[in-house]
Amino acid sequence: MTFNIRGGRDNQRHVQMNQIIKEIKENQPDIVGLQEVDVSLPRSGFLNEIEMISNQLHMNYIFVPTINFVVGAYGDAILSKYPIVSYASYRLPGGIEPRGMIRADVTLRTQKISVYTTHLGLGQVERGKQFAAVESIIKNDLTPKIVLGDFNTKPKETNIVTFKKRFVETTNQVEKTFITLPSEKTQIDYVLYTKEFQSVDQYVGHSVISDHNPLLCTLLVYQ
């Protein structure tokens, strides 16, 4: 699952973390990439959102801030029901807002896989530099890979079309657009994976809190 939770805040800026947790839990994901996670920020009632989610869903997690404030932080996270044996974080070329990417090394029985999550920028030129940086980071990773996140990129944009050539991608297998950004009736969130995986199902969930819907994919991994 990939899910931009908007800090757990609804359209009235009220924090609704119990509902966000419910929306994740009802889909029963094994691995989740989260974007726009608040930790100890005043706007979110000083909640440690990733710790709350992890505790209630009984999942391992890593959180890496993209912005550290005087009080609290804001960034991305990966949750996993499987052991996370190591992780790394990367700074991406930024515009007004810093951007980054996380890699979690996850073990599925005897198989190790790499899970990446990121949240790319709003400007197309900025995203072009970020896609190039991500490409440079992942090209030497020879383990089976899942790359997911909020790419802020519509399906026909050159950046994502070119980037997807390295992967199999969930929406390539059906004649359907997955609406992950309801306000614009388009997709900007993606789950991509390498040839060691096979997709058996993909669908969009529904969020009544975030401005994004979660995107989910059921994958088999060849061991």
Side-chain angles (χ1 to χ4, degrees), residues 27-148:
N27 290 288
Q28 299 182 320
D30 294 316
I31 295 172
V32 185
L34 296 178
Q35 303 84 44
E36 297 195 17
V37 180
D38 285 359
V39 172
S40 302
L41 287 176
R43 67 184 182 186
S44 301
F46 299 98
L47 296 174
N48 186 329
E49 293 182 346
I50 187 59
E51 192 171 85
M52 288 180 65
I53 298 170
S54 170
N55 287 342
Q56 293 198 36
L57 299 185
H58 307 290
M59 299 178 79
N60 306 299
Y61 78 90
I62 56 172
F63 167 78
V64 176
T66 51
I67 304 177
N68 281 298
F69 298 95
V70 175
V71 177
Y74 163 90
D76 307 316
I78 293 173
L79 295 135
S80 174
K81 289 186 177 179
Y82 304 105
I84 297 174
V85 295
S86 61
Y87 76 95
S89 63
Y90 310 90
R91 284 289 180 186
L92 301 180
I96 296 174
E97 180 179 326
R99 301 288 176 170
M101 182 169 67
I102 309 171
R103 186 195 78 233
D105 299 318
V106 175
T107 54
L108 312 177
R109 300 184 180 88
T110 59
Q111 176 73 62
K112 186 177 83 169
I113 67 170
S114 298
V115 180
Y116 294 85
T117 195
T118 189
H119 183 190
L120 300 186
L122 296 175
Q124 192 164 359
V125 174
E126 174 189 0
R127 288 197 303 275
K129 296 176 182 178
Q130 291 164 355
F131 272 108
V134 171
E135 178 88 8
S136 178
I137 291 165
I138 68 173
K139 68 180 181 181
N140 295 320
D141 182 356
L142 301 181
T143 59
K145 293 183 287 295
I146 301 171
V147 179
L148 43 76

